[in-house]
Amino acid sequence: MRTRHDLVTQSLHWFVAVMVLAIYAIGLGREALPKGDFRTLLLSLHMSLGIGLMAALMFRMAWRLFAPPVEPVPTANSIRLAARLGHLGLYALMVAVPVIGLLAAWLKGRTVGFFGVPVLSPFAVERDAAKWLEDAHEISAHALVALAGIHAVAALIHHVVLRDQTLRRMLPSGT
Ligand code: HEM
Ligand code: HEM
């Protein structure tokens, strides 16, 4: 069995991680700006990248089914269970946050697109539901980034304190 994640898994992991953080930063950053063209442009960019993330994530989850298995790092069962639950939570939130964002945008009647290609809504405008979904989108996005922070700290503890292969096997060989 392999001792490292394959290159596709590694690339998708880091690509998705950077995308999530960039999309989050753009979402929060634009909230702080006064209404205007630049704020509107940032929302289009936020939504386009978010839709791109959904596609990358679908590919990642499909790839996970076929990826060559990696040898488990020797660790206590409780830590393995915590890691599994953490990863499950990350996947669940990575799916939920953009889906809720997309529904919020559609139900509000916003123009949604992927870098200029329209992504048309199958729903009628529902402003009350949109407001509720916007709040859910914001709260779940904070939860996603908080869990990703805990996850990153756990990875660094594996590397620096426990000195095991956990972080190294998510990096290209030679590191
Ligand atoms: C992982 C992906 C995403 C993350 C982490 C994320 C995060 C955020 C954050 C932090 C905000 C600011 C919330 C606030 O302060 O009110 C926001 C706003 C927003 N996001 Fe996302 N988002 C993601 C994907 C998407 C997608 C795919 C769409 C739609 C296609 C979307 C649509 C929106 C809209 C319409 C707003 C503005 C809501 C408002 O005006 O209150 N987001 N997002
Ligand atoms: C938004 C940011 C991030 C997200 C959403 C994320 C998500 C995930 C997910 C879902 C997995 C499970 C992979 C699988 O088994 O399918 C994973 C694995 C991993 N992540 Fe992240 N990650 C993020 C950032 C980071 C950062 C910053 C680090 C390092 C400091 C890191 C280190 C790792 C490592 C080492 C693994 C492999 C664990 C193992 O082999 O058991 N991740 N990540």
Side-chain angles (χ1 to χ4, degrees):
M1 218 188 271
R2 308 171 59 108
T3 50
R4 278 175 191 275
H5 293 281
D6 62 286
L7 196 60
V8 176
T9 300
Q10 292 176 349
S11 312
L12 283 167
H13 173 268
W14 295 111
F15 176 71
V16 165
V18 169
M19 288 271 280
V20 167
L21 297 179
I23 296 168
Y24 179 76
I26 295 170
L28 275 191
R30 77 166 279 282
E31 255 350 279
L33 293 174
K35 285 206 159 77
D37 286 351
F38 186 52
R39 193 178 139 113
T40 309
L41 184 77
L42 284 184
L43 183 58
S44 301
L45 180 64
H46 177 88
M47 294 196 285
S48 297
L49 292 176
I51 290 167
L53 175 81
M54 288 199 253
L57 202 60
M58 276 194 262
F59 182 54
R60 177 162 186 202
M61 296 203 291
W63 181 262
R64 197 178 188 281
L65 299 176
F66 301 106
V70 271
E71 223 170 80
V73 175
T75 186
N77 283 342
S78 54
I79 297 190
R80 186 163 305 133
L81 180 68
R84 285 230 173 105
L85 289 176
H87 294 164
L88 197 69
L90 285 169
Y91 278 125
L93 285 165
M94 278 193 288
V95 172
V97 172
V99 168
I100 296 172
L102 180 61
L103 287 175
W106 272 342
L107 292 186
K108 195 160 180 174
R110 290 185 195 270
T111 309
V112 180
F114 178 70
F115 295 105
V117 179
V119 178
L120 299 177
S121 170
F123 305 111
V125 172
E126 266 279 359
R127 288 192 170 271
D128 286 346
K131 180 85 213 68
W132 189 89
L133 285 166
E134 275 177 359
D135 290 346
H137 181 60
E138 184 184 356
I139 293 165
S140 55
H142 291 322
L144 169 58
V145 171
L147 187 56
I150 295 171
H151 165 80
V153 169
L156 292 175
I157 291 177
H158 273 285
H159 192 65
V160 177
V161 182
L162 304 174
R163 292 172 177 276
D164 63 23
Q165 286 293 318
T166 306
L167 179 58
R168 221 168 281 131
R169 70 194 200 147
M170 198 37 114
L171 297 169
S173 55
T175 47

